[in-house]
Amino acid sequence: RADVRAAAVSALPGVAFPGSKAASSLARERLGHQDPGVRCSAVEALAAVSQRGDLEALEVLVARLEDEHADVRRAVIRIVPAFADHDDSRVVAVVVSRLDHVYSDVRRAAAQLLVAIVGKGNAEAIAFVEAHLAREGNAD
């Protein structure tokens, strides 16, 4: 049952130390589960059991912006800013790479996350957005 799996995944941070490879692996495996509730729990668990700012975990989390379910994308937007270091150029680059995604929901989620992880006046983020807008041209 999906609700039991989601509860089990949610328990990982309570039984594992941050940086636990085993707990991280279990959470990552559940990111592909068929139930969006389990995937949301896995997003939260992966951030909780990984070391703050772990680029590999951040890349995996940001990749879930491509999830078909809006709740999973919202979980990423809510969790990543607390997990990533503010204005971290590595994270900005990973998020910005989603601004060119084929699906508008993914692009929109990436833009929302970008706003949450950078401060106003972040020159790198402004340059990325400017380049993205130039590629889009005048298309609506």
Side-chain angles (χ1 to χ4, degrees), residues 11-33:
L12 282 172
V15 299
F17 290 110
S20 166
K21 297 287 186 200
S24 175
S25 178
L26 288 169
R28 287 171 198 242
E29 289 172 12
R30 297 325 178 271
L31 287 170
H33 193 275

Side-chain angles (χ1 to χ4, degrees), residues 67-112:
D67 196 282
E68 64 191 36
H69 203 277
D71 287 345
V72 178
R73 294 190 300 270
R74 281 191 290 269
V76 171
I77 293 166
R78 186 181 75 252
I79 295 296
V80 168
F83 180 65
D85 292 325
H86 201 66
D87 285 323
D88 184 330
S89 62
R90 303 168 310 152
V91 181
V92 171
V94 172
V95 172
V96 166
S97 71
R98 295 327 193 270
L99 290 175
D100 290 323
H101 197 276
V102 65
Y103 294 115
S104 62
D105 288 344
V106 175
R107 295 191 305 269
R108 199 170 13 263
Q112 290 172 338

Side-chain angles (χ1 to χ4, degrees), residues 1-2 21 27 52 55 61 64 72 74 89 99 103 105-106 115 118 132 138:
R1 293 188 35 152
K21 297 287 186 200
R52 179 176 168 76
L55 184 58
L61 289 168
R64 297 317 304 173
V72 178
R74 281 191 290 269
S89 62
L99 290 175
Y103 294 115
D105 288 344
V106 175
V115 168
V118 300
H132 171 73
N138 293 325

